[in-house]
Amino acid sequence: MASLAQQFTGLRCAPLSSSRLSKPFSFPKQQQTHNRPPTLLPIVSAVAISNAQTRERLKLKELFEEAYERCRTSPMEGVTFNVDDFHSAIEKYDFNSEIGTKVRGTVFCTDNGGALVDITAKSSAYLPLQEASIHRLKHVEEAGIVPGLKMDFVIIGENEVDDSLILSLKTMQYDLAWERCRQLQAEDVVVKGKVVGANKGGVVAVVEGLRGFVPFSQISSKTTAEELLDKELPLKFVEVDEEQARLVLSNRKAMQDSQAQLGIGSVVLGTVQSLKPYGAFVDIGGINGLLHVSQISHDRVADIATVLQPGDTLKVMILSHDRERSRVSLSTKKLEPTPGDMIRNPKLVFEKAEEMAQTFRQRIAQAEAMARADMLRFQPESGLSISSDGILGPLTSDLPAEGLDLSDVPKAEDADSE
């Protein structure tokens, strides 16, 4: 428009008389001859545009004046959201930022120092790396904290620099860990604890993410703290006191519980710890048992290393158990379906281990029954008799005074075969 107006600056037009307007308009001959556009068309277009803009401005002005008048005289006309609704909404979304408050948040950014969390507050909150877990982490993503994760946090402080809140997951995990330890103590459960440190009185072991103390008096084996470092021990809870932050554990109690379950002829899973010229030491749930070279196979084993290696997992049978001296004798020889299988096909030995152990226990039971029968044959005055299943009991009237006829004692059979 501005360029169009400049074209007509200083342009003067003679007044139009009614006689001239009544005559039909005709273009000059020169313009008609050369088919040039009429010089009057731009003037008509400019006037039409100007009139349209003027009408639009007038219309907008009227609308603005009407809106202004409504705002001045009746500002809440047609509005359903009133002041009471506003206060109600504020109360509904009121945010409690007190320390110790549990909040729901969404992780939207992580870095080497922690994670930014949206908790629908006036400012974002931050989860430091050291507050992301009770375990040591190099990055929060090791604990599964990634952008988009929604979970509960607890407020533990406020950053004075930017008024952002400081969050923690470790605080909640500590509470859960103490509760878990109290449950395990009540159930008298044996747990595994990794030794991470020591002092003059004992060793420090981590259980359920908490550091507990194991006094040397509560360690079953005579080993040094350096030898126990980084090893896992079977432990039982002695004291769980969250208020005093005291967690006392016992390896001796756990070992007694485990040893009580080791019956002669039972099959257990073990891991080879070390090899000696006379045999292999095998860890069977925190107890070191000796698999003597003579108990590896019916065939002669010249070099143990050709059959076993440290770290090997194998099934062994308990031959004997000296609880006072904490010594356990093991055997894979008794588990061989045929002599030499432990050397040629150890996988078959482990597959048939329970079956072979059951046969061994039946033979032991039969031998014990025969031994007791022999004893009663020469001591009828004892007043005891032996039943068909090898159990001693009161002397019955049908038992001959001279003793028991051994031909009446049946062979031991698998209970599952009945």
Side-chain angles (χ1 to χ4, degrees):
M1 285 296 294
S3 61
L4 187 60
Q6 291 175 0
Q7 294 178 15
F8 298 99
T9 302
L11 182 64
R12 296 181 180 179
C13 298
L16 299 176
S17 62
S18 58
S19 60
R20 291 182 60 184
L21 289 174
S22 60
K23 294 181 180 180
F25 179 79
S26 61
F27 293 105
K29 292 182 179 180
Q30 185 179 4
Q31 292 182 358
Q32 293 177 356
T33 305
H34 299 283
N35 294 326
R36 293 180 181 177
T39 57
L40 188 60
L41 286 179
I43 301 176
V44 176
S45 300
V47 173
I49 294 174
S50 177
N51 292 338
Q53 289 181 342
T54 301
R55 286 193 300 270
E56 185 68 21
R57 291 191 183 114
L58 290 174
K59 184 178 179 180
L60 291 174
K61 181 180 179 182
E62 291 176 0
L63 292 174
F64 176 78
E65 290 176 350
E66 290 177 2
Y68 175 79
E69 186 65 19
R70 284 197 305 270
C71 292
R72 189 178 65 83
T73 57
S74 53
M76 299 303 294
E77 181 181 354
V79 179
T80 58
F81 190 80
N82 54 33
V83 177
D84 294 335
D85 294 333
F86 176 75
H87 288 299
S88 176
I90 291 295
E91 292 177 359
K92 181 179 179 181
Y93 295 99
D94 187 22
F95 184 81
N96 186 2
S97 61
E98 294 182 359
I99 293 178
T101 302
K102 186 180 292 186
V103 295
R104 187 76 173 175
T106 303
V107 178
F108 65 88
C109 181
T110 62
D111 55 30
N112 292 331
L116 283 171
V117 184
D118 179 16
I119 54 174
T120 66
K122 63 180 180 180
S123 61
S124 61
Y126 193 69
L127 175 69
L129 177 62
Q130 63 271 19
E131 293 294 332
S133 174
I134 58 178
H135 303 286
R136 290 186 178 181
L137 305 174
K138 294 183 178 180
H139 197 281
V140 292
E141 292 186 357
E142 295 178 20
I145 302 172
V146 295
L149 177 67
K150 295 182 179 180
M151 62 188 309
D152 291 331
F153 302 85
V154 63
I155 300 173
I156 61 172
E158 183 176 357
N159 191 338
E160 297 180 355
V161 177
D162 56 3
D163 294 332
S164 63
L165 297 175
I166 302 175
L167 306 178
S168 174
L169 289 173
K170 183 170 68 174
T171 301
M172 295 190 298
Q173 292 174 1
Y174 266 126
D175 294 339
L176 292 174
W178 280 105
E179 179 62 26
R180 176 64 175 161
C181 289
R182 284 191 291 268
Q183 293 176 355
L184 294 173
Q185 182 188 31
E187 297 171 4
D188 198 29
V189 176
V190 176
V191 298
K192 289 282 188 177
K194 184 177 181 180
V195 178
V196 295
N199 56 32
K200 62 180 181 180
V203 298
V204 178
V206 175
V207 177
E208 295 294 325
L210 301 175
R211 296 167 70 90
F213 182 66
V214 187
F216 282 125
S217 62
Q218 294 299 317
I219 298 177
S220 61
S221 59
K222 295 181 180 180
T223 53
T224 63
E226 289 76 14
E227 293 174 335
L228 294 174
L229 196 63
D230 293 329
K231 290 186 177 181
E232 286 192 344
L233 297 177
L235 302 167
K236 273 195 172 185
F237 294 93
V238 176
E239 182 180 358
V240 180
D241 188 344
E242 183 178 2
E243 294 183 358
Q244 300 295 327
R246 284 175 58 85
L247 187 63
V248 183
L249 306 160
S250 172
N251 170 249
R252 185 179 296 275
K253 290 180 64 177
M255 295 298 291
Q256 290 174 354
D257 184 74
S258 299
Q259 291 175 2
Q261 301 176 6
L262 296 179
I264 305 301
S266 59
V267 176
V268 294
L269 194 66
T271 303
V272 178
Q273 297 294 310
S274 61
L275 301 179
K276 302 295 181 181
Y278 51 85
F281 284 97
V282 182
D283 178 11
I284 51 174
I287 302 173
N288 272 332
L290 175 61
L291 177 60
H292 195 269
V293 63
S294 63
Q295 287 297 327
I296 295 178
S297 176
H298 284 83
D299 289 357
R300 182 176 178 275
V301 177
D303 185 3
I304 300 177
T306 60
V307 183
L308 301 173
Q309 287 293 324
D312 288 350
T313 300
L314 67 164
K315 288 183 179 181
V316 292
M317 190 177 71
I318 308 296
L319 278 185
S320 64
H321 184 196
D322 187 348
R323 290 181 174 83
E324 293 183 358
R325 303 173 66 181
S326 297
R327 291 184 178 180
V328 180
S329 295
L330 308 173
S331 175
T332 54
K333 174 182 177 179
K334 304 296 184 183
L335 302 178
E336 289 183 322
T338 56
D341 282 343
M342 191 61 196
I343 299 174
R344 295 187 299 269
N345 191 2
K347 183 178 179 181
L348 176 64
V349 176
F350 303 148
E351 289 177 354
K352 299 287 186 178
E354 283 75 12
E355 180 181 337
M356 296 302 297
Q358 178 66 23
T359 303
F360 176 81
R361 289 192 293 268
Q362 290 175 355
R363 292 173 181 170
I364 293 294
Q366 186 176 11
E368 290 178 350
M370 294 179 66
R372 283 181 292 207
D374 286 339
M375 179 187 67
L376 290 177
R377 174 183 294 176
F378 299 104
Q379 297 179 349
E381 67 277 4
S382 63
L384 298 175
S385 66
I386 187 168
S387 65
S388 59
D389 56 1
I391 299 177
L392 287 173
L395 184 65
T396 58
S397 58
D398 58 346
L399 183 67
E402 63 270 19
L404 181 68
D405 185 0
L406 294 181
S407 62
D408 294 334
V409 178
K411 292 183 179 181
E413 294 181 354
D414 191 345
D416 295 336
S417 62
E418 296 181 359

